[in-house]
Amino acid sequence: MKHLLLLILMVVSIAGCQSSQEETANITVAAAASLSDAMKELNSLYEQEHLDTEITLNLASSGVLANQIKQGAPIDVYFSASESYFDDIKKEDLLEIETNLLRNKLVLIKSQSAKLSSFDQLDESHEGRLAIGTPETVPAGAYAKEALQYANKWDKLEDQLIFSKDVRQVLTYVETGNADAGIVYETDYRSSSKVTLVEDVPTQSYSPIIYPAGIVKGANEEASDYFTFLQSDESLAIFESYGFQSDVTAND
C-alpha cells in the first residue's frame, strides 16, 4: 500500500512539473550589443511583473542577428541598431509589427594613457590604433566609417584600424589598451569607467542612428505584451537613463 501511495505521489508531482513548464511563456529577444545593459534591466523588470514568462536575450551585432532571423532562428523580437538591417528583414516579410524606438550618437573615446585630444587629430600623424566595429556587420562600425570618410580620414587611417565583432568589443579594446582610441555609441562610453571621452563625433558626418524594433512572424503570443512594454513610458525612461534618446515615432 505504501508503495502504491508513493507511486501516486510521484505521478502527481511529475504531472505538476509538466503543467508548470507548459504554463511558462518563453520569449527570445535578439538585440543589438549596444543595448545589453538596458535590456538586461528591462527584462529583469518584466520577468518580475510576469512570473509566468522567461526571456532569453540574444546579444550580437545587428547584422549577425538579421542573418539569424533570415535563416529561421527561433526569435520573437528583433531590436536593431540599424535601419538598414531592419529594412532587410522587412523586405523579406519577416515582421508582424515594427516601430522606431530609440536614437543614439557616436563619440570618440581613448584609453586613459592616450594623448589624443580631438577628432581632428585622427590623421596620418596619429600613431595609435583606432578600434571600430566591422562596417559590413556592425552598425556602429558603418556609422564610424561614414564619419571618417566624410572627414577625409578613412584612407589615411586604414592601416591603423582594428575591427571588432560588435561595439562592445571596441570598448573592451580601448579599456585594455589594445587600441588607444575607438569610436562607439555614447551609451557604450557611459557604461565604462575605464575609458576617457575625447569628444562627440560631428553629427553631420554620419546618418541618424535609429533603433527600430519589431515582432518576428511566428512569434509567441506573449511577445505582443512584451513589445508593448518596451514602448511604455517606464521602459523609455530606463533607456534614457543609459543615454539613449526616445525616438519621436515611438509613440505614433
Side-chain angles (χ1 to χ4, degrees):
M1 187 67 179
K2 289 183 178 179
H3 292 296
L4 179 59
L5 181 59
L6 180 59
L7 180 60
I8 292 171
L9 289 173
M10 288 176 64
V11 171
V12 171
S13 176
I14 292 171
C17 290
Q18 289 176 338
S19 175
S20 175
Q21 290 174 354
E22 289 172 359
E23 291 174 359
T24 300
N26 294 288
I27 303 173
T28 300
V29 181
S34 55
L35 291 160
S36 59
D37 295 331
M39 292 302 291
K40 288 174 184 176
E41 180 175 343
L42 284 165
N43 288 350
S44 177
L45 178 61
Y46 189 85
E47 288 177 334
Q48 290 172 24
E49 296 175 351
H50 300 77
L51 299 178
D52 58 347
T53 301
E54 293 181 358
I55 300 173
T56 299
L57 183 58
N58 178 10
L59 294 166
S61 69
S62 298
V64 168
L65 296 174
N67 285 333
Q68 289 177 4
I69 294 172
K70 291 177 184 178
Q71 293 166 10
I75 292 170
D76 299 302
V77 176
Y78 177 41
F79 204 162
S80 175
S82 164
E83 288 185 288
S84 176
Y85 289 121
F86 197 81
D87 286 343
D88 287 344
I89 300 300
K90 286 173 61 177
K91 289 174 183 176
E92 296 201 18
D93 196 27
L94 295 173
L95 294 174
E96 292 281 2
I97 304 171
E98 48 88 14
T99 186
N100 290 341
L101 200 56
L102 304 172
R103 287 180 177 265
N104 212 336
K105 65 180 180 179
L106 293 181
V107 296
L108 176 63
I109 59 172
K110 65 178 181 179
S111 65
Q112 294 177 339
S113 61
K115 298 179 180 180
L116 186 68
S117 61
S118 73
F119 183 76
D120 287 340
Q121 286 185 347
L122 291 175
D123 55 30
E124 62 270 19
S125 65
H126 176 65
E127 297 178 355
R129 306 281 280 175
L130 175 68
I132 68 170
T134 302
E136 290 75 21
T137 57
V138 182
Y143 294 126
K145 182 176 180 179
E146 270 189 66
L148 292 170
Q149 287 179 326
Y150 181 89
N152 295 316
K153 297 178 182 295
W154 179 257
D155 293 336
K156 299 173 183 178
L157 294 172
E158 201 165 2
D159 293 337
Q160 297 163 252
L161 294 174
I162 302 176
F163 298 106
S164 70
K165 65 182 178 68
D166 58 45
V167 69
R168 282 305 173 97
Q169 190 175 64
V170 174
L171 188 66
T172 299
Y173 284 161
V174 180
E175 287 177 334
T176 57
N178 288 311
D180 73 331
I183 296 177
V184 298
Y185 296 127
E186 179 188 20
T187 49
D188 296 294
Y189 155 67
R190 289 175 59 161
S191 73
S192 176
S193 60
K194 300 177 182 179
V195 299
T196 300
L197 176 67
V198 178
E199 65 178 350
D200 291 354
V201 176
T203 55
Q204 71 272 19
S205 66
Y206 58 90
S207 304
I209 301 173
I210 296 174
Y211 286 65
I215 298 177
V216 180
K217 281 194 172 179
N220 291 338
E221 292 181 5
E222 291 77 8
S224 180
D225 289 336
Y226 176 82
F227 191 64
T228 299
F229 165 76
L230 286 181
Q231 300 172 73
S232 67
D233 290 341
E234 179 182 29
S235 294
L236 292 175
I238 289 174
F239 281 123
E240 289 173 358
S241 74
Y242 284 92
F244 293 97
Q245 302 162 17
S246 300
D247 190 73
V248 291
T249 63
N251 296 312
D252 282 357

